[in-house]
Amino acid sequence: MAFSFTFLGSGTSQGVPIIGKEYPPEFLANPKNHRTRPSIYVATEQTKLVVDTTPEFRIQMLREKIGWLDAVLFTHSHADHIMGLDDCRRICDARGGNALPVYATEATMQDLRRVFAYAFHDGPWPRGYFIPEPHLIDGPFELGDLEIVPLKLPHGRMETCGFLFNQRGRKQLAYMSDCKEVPPEVVEKIRGVKVAVLDALRKAPHPTHMSLDEALTAARRIAPDRAFLTHLTHDYDHDLAQAELPPGVELAYDGLRVATE
């Protein structure tokens, strides 16, 4: 009943470090302060998938030596979450030139079809091109040994899609990137989860993302075995900020792999 996930990226929409800013040498010396855009890779004995395809998707996949996927899930259609999708052409090659299932809400799928119009069509596809197999998310669905429950989350004027991953009746992971809060109905749905991943953009309040205090409040309400904070700006100097967090709450970093029992 193995279940694990890896943070392909843990940074904010601009990544860390950002363009045109000077940083102390000691900040840059810590590899955990170098954050690509946010995504995770979920792996079980039967299922391999990613949530979101960031602008650094190719680099992230090479770094983690991932060459096969059963599906791609999307939280929403902001650029930092979708712009690496074309890199999945290599996954289609690995799948024998067959399509790769892509799961998204109707609003997100509309944007994917617009941005990647050359791929989202009725075919044929030239050899070596990305071939998507669209699946609309309108309720819980199954992939291999996983039941995946969509979670509606507020993100400014739009709604993002978090995911609860159940494996044979066990709540393994709740992934909630890019949200201003975790609504009470979502808290109830994921209560008892082993691991919760929460948006914690920065220490100061933000209109569309949870701040550190808001994320810690959400973690207390959810009460997972472990909580990880992601979508992090350069507000967080990893080692210093980690030392100030309560027990059971950790800052994510690129390449961090988490396995549940």
Side-chain angles (χ1 to χ4, degrees), residues 247-260:
V249 180
E250 302 172 52
L251 292 179
Y253 57 87
D254 290 23
L256 171 63
R257 179 179 179 272
V258 181
T260 63

Side-chain angles (χ1 to χ4, degrees), residues 214-255:
E214 289 166 333
L216 292 176
T217 297
R220 287 194 298 270
R221 290 171 177 165
I222 298 164
D225 292 349
R226 302 174 72 184
F228 292 87
L229 308 182
T230 193
H231 211 296
L232 308 173
T233 69
H234 54 219
D235 270 17
Y236 301 94
D237 189 333
H238 186 278
D239 293 351
L240 297 177
Q242 180 62 58
E244 298 175 347
L245 293 179
V249 180
E250 302 172 52
L251 292 179
Y253 57 87
D254 290 23

Side-chain angles (χ1 to χ4, degrees), residues 198-214:
L198 296 160
D199 180 358
L201 183 73
R202 64 190 191 190
K203 296 178 180 179
H206 187 275
T208 66
H209 290 267
M210 287 194 290
S211 66
L212 175 59
D213 285 346
E214 289 166 333

Side-chain angles (χ1 to χ4, degrees), residues 10-11 15-16 32-37 232-234 236 238 254:
S10 59
V16 180
K32 294 178 181 178
N33 287 333
H34 292 256
R35 305 178 179 115
T36 57
R37 268 62 76 93
L232 308 173
T233 69
H234 54 219
Y236 301 94
H238 186 278
D254 290 23

Side-chain angles (χ1 to χ4, degrees), residues 46-64:
Q46 297 182 25
T47 310
K48 310 289 187 292
L49 62 87
V50 293
V51 178
D52 293 334
T53 56
T54 75
E56 297 97 349
F57 185 67
R58 170 182 165 273
I59 295 170
Q60 294 168 339
M61 294 285 279
L62 289 171
R63 187 192 70 214
E64 300 303 323

Side-chain angles (χ1 to χ4, degrees), residues 6 14 71 74 78 97 118 143 152 190 208 226 230 237 240 243:
T6 302
Q14 297 187 72
F74 282 103
H78 282 169
Y118 64 89
L143 283 172
K152 294 182 179 181
I190 66 178
T208 66
R226 302 174 72 184
T230 193
D237 189 333
L240 297 177

Side-chain angles (χ1 to χ4, degrees), residues 12-109:
T12 184
S13 58
Q14 297 187 72
V16 180
I18 63 172
I19 295 170
K21 179 176 174 59
E22 296 294 326
Y23 292 86
E26 56 271 21
F27 181 94
L28 296 176
N30 187 344
K32 294 178 181 178
N33 287 333
H34 292 256
R35 305 178 179 115
T36 57
R37 268 62 76 93
S39 173
I40 58 169
Y41 167 68
V42 174
T44 73
E45 294 171 355
Q46 297 182 25
T47 310
K48 310 289 187 292
L49 62 87
V50 293
V51 178
D52 293 334
T53 56
T54 75
E56 297 97 349
F57 185 67
R58 170 182 165 273
I59 295 170
Q60 294 168 339
M61 294 285 279
L62 289 171
R63 187 192 70 214
E64 300 303 323
K65 298 179 172 59
I66 302 167
W68 175 274
L69 293 174
D70 295 299
V72 175
L73 282 56
F74 282 103
T75 58
H76 64 304
S77 60
H78 282 169
D80 52 323
H81 294 261
I82 71 169
M83 293 311 294
L85 181 57
D86 187 72
D87 290 334
C88 288
R89 62 172 60 189
R90 281 295 302 139
I91 302 300
C92 293
D93 286 345
R95 294 169 60 88
N98 293 315
L100 176 65
V102 174
Y103 289 80
T105 63
E106 184 173 2
T108 298
M109 192 70 76

